[in-house]
Amino acid sequence: MNSDRAIWASLPVPTLIIGPNNEIVDINSAAEGFLNVSAKSVRGVPVWDQIAVNDPLETAFERARGTSTPLFVNDVDVGSGQRAPMQSDLQVAPLLGHPEHMIFMISPRELAGRMTQNHSVKSAAKSAIGMAEMLAHEIKNPLAGITGAAQLLSMNLAAEDLELTDLIVEESRRIVKLLGQVEQFGNLSMPDFQAVNVHDVLDRARRSALLGFGAHMKIIEDYDPSLPMAYGDPDQLLQVVLNLLKNASEATNGKSGQIRLHSYFEHSFRLRRSDGSGQSLPLQIEIIDDGPGLPEAIKDDVFDPFVSGRENGTGLGLALVSKIVSDHSGWISVSSTPGRTVFRISLPRAPKSAQQKQ
């Protein structure tokens, strides 16, 4: 192929060139990242052995080749043996100057959805923070008075009436604890950026989980040992991972389960913001559990404040996670089906200047 390699490498969406016998002739760097393979390893491989589409596409593909016309397919799940399916749009067209060769473009819809989601979550989080500060200030002091009054009353009550004052004290303390979580959500400081080894963060979170809320879970480490340093606040990133591990552990309702901590490098993952600026987010962390999955009713709103799938949940844990990741200029997404829930965090790489300070 006499393609302009600079243009080919710069294409922002996964793109393949397919030969006359449906063999892969070449793939660009975005496709390498999407399929989690190297271009060298898939050249000559039948395209349908490498790419799985949840729609019978072969006949339409051959018709497009035979008639030299473009083919557009929307809203299909596209995956490979190396990655889970992702909802995407497909564009197929003849490659000019190369008879019977087709160019095959995959446009994942995940990023667009996550950009819209992140913008709305940040707006909701700002409103929730204001509410959190107001609630903490206006409610905690009266609650302290109610608790004190109930304890004084209990000193002069018969044993059979103590249950009522004990209930007042217990419920008041529960509300104070909830307000403490609300205050934490509202008062989180900005990250103290430095070079961070994400595996150190994951290990700290794993050990803490196994000694407490995740003692009934099996937590598996699946790390890329060559992963470079991330740029962020290690304590805040630890809080993110702990919250996600806690959610995964509690989703089993005390039954045993498995959580996999997976790290990998995706060099083609780049976010382009609405102002035209770009942000490379190549460091990927996945927290994968085999629990029941997210309730269908909250799947699309799980990062919004006060949305919870648990009966007594505050709905602040994942909102806090989203806020921290956003403050790190990163992205977080979730895909969930019964038996497999994946929270994926994408983070920037630490600049050389930050790494030299270590």
Side-chain angles (χ1 to χ4, degrees):
M1 286 291 167
N2 296 320
S3 307
D4 185 325
R5 302 308 298 181
I7 295 176
W8 177 245
S10 301
L11 287 173
V13 297
T15 306
L16 303 84
I17 295 175
I18 311 301
N21 297 315
N22 286 340
E23 78 281 9
I24 297 174
V25 175
D26 201 4
I27 65 175
N28 69 345
S29 58
E32 288 182 307
F34 180 81
L35 299 172
N36 199 23
V37 296
S38 68
K40 183 178 180 181
S41 69
V42 296
R43 288 191 181 110
V45 173
V47 63
W48 307 121
D49 287 354
Q50 186 62 46
I51 296 178
V53 182
N54 71 330
D55 194 66
L57 192 64
E58 291 90 336
T59 301
F61 185 87
E62 292 304 327
R63 188 183 304 118
R65 188 204 303 275
T67 58
S68 296
T69 56
L71 170 67
F72 301 91
V73 182
N74 296 328
D75 300 331
V76 292
D77 289 336
V78 182
S80 73
Q82 304 299 319
R83 69 163 303 140
M86 181 183 297
Q87 191 176 53
S88 306
D89 296 334
L90 304 178
Q91 298 88 37
V92 178
L95 185 62
L96 296 179
H98 299 276
E100 296 193 57
H101 285 72
M102 305 293 283
I103 188 164
F104 188 123
M105 305 179 74
I106 305 169
S107 301
R109 304 191 67 180
E110 179 190 37
L111 275 182
R114 285 169 67 190
M115 288 179 70
T116 303
Q117 175 198 60
N118 186 265
H119 176 75
S120 63
V121 166
K122 287 189 75 172
S123 298
K126 288 181 179 179
S127 299
I129 288 170
M131 184 183 296
E133 294 172 346
M134 180 191 70
L135 282 172
H137 178 73
E138 297 294 336
I139 298 177
K140 287 186 77 173
N141 288 337
L143 272 177
I146 292 170
T147 303
Q151 290 172 328
L152 287 173
L153 283 173
S154 68
M155 297 172 64
N156 299 312
L157 291 177
E160 61 269 18
D161 295 324
L162 286 176
E163 182 180 350
L164 296 175
T165 54
D166 287 346
L167 178 62
I168 294 173
V169 172
E170 181 182 341
E171 288 301 298
S172 296
R173 286 175 176 168
R174 185 178 67 83
I175 296 172
V176 169
K177 182 179 178 181
L178 169 61
L179 289 174
Q181 294 174 336
V182 172
E183 283 184 309
Q184 180 190 35
F185 179 72
N187 295 329
L188 191 70
S189 60
M190 290 302 294
D192 176 17
F193 284 102
Q194 55 188 275
V196 180
N197 185 330
V198 297
H199 297 148
D200 289 345
V201 172
L202 294 174
D203 284 340
R204 287 171 61 193
R206 180 184 61 84
R207 289 196 299 269
S208 179
L210 290 174
L211 291 173
F213 57 78
H216 60 293
M217 304 294 288
K218 180 180 182 182
I219 303 180
I220 299 171
E221 300 165 282
D222 181 12
Y223 300 159
D224 177 356
S226 64
L227 202 68
M229 304 286 269
Y231 195 47
D233 185 318
D235 291 333
Q236 291 192 15
L237 292 176
L238 175 64
Q239 187 172 4
V240 165
V241 179
L242 281 173
N243 280 10
L244 294 176
L245 288 177
K246 191 170 187 289
N247 280 357
S249 299
E250 292 178 347
T252 66
N253 293 318
K255 298 178 182 178
S256 60
Q258 179 176 292
I259 301 172
R260 183 159 68 98
L261 301 176
H262 181 211
S263 69
Y264 61 101
F265 192 85
E266 187 172 331
H267 60 85
S268 64
F269 193 96
R270 185 175 182 83
L271 174 68
R272 185 163 295 280
R273 304 185 187 278
S274 57
D275 63 1
S277 63
Q279 174 71 54
S280 177
L281 303 174
L283 278 68
Q284 313 300 320
I285 300 171
E286 292 182 337
I287 290 86
I288 307 166
D289 71 71
D290 60 357
L294 294 171
E296 198 67 34
I298 68 168
K299 271 187 178 181
D300 296 332
D301 307 312
V302 71
F303 295 111
D304 289 350
F306 309 116
V307 173
S308 176
R310 296 198 304 275
E311 183 178 349
N312 295 316
T314 64
L316 292 178
L318 289 178
L320 178 62
V321 163
S322 178
K323 180 182 184 298
I324 293 174
V325 173
S326 178
D327 287 344
H328 281 72
S329 299
W331 288 99
I332 183 167
S333 67
V334 60
S335 62
S336 182
T337 57
R340 180 179 171 85
T341 296
V342 182
F343 281 90
R344 178 183 178 185
I345 303 164
S346 305
L347 295 171
R349 183 174 182 171
K352 290 183 179 179
S353 57
Q355 296 184 44
Q356 291 170 355
K357 294 178 181 179
Q358 296 294 307

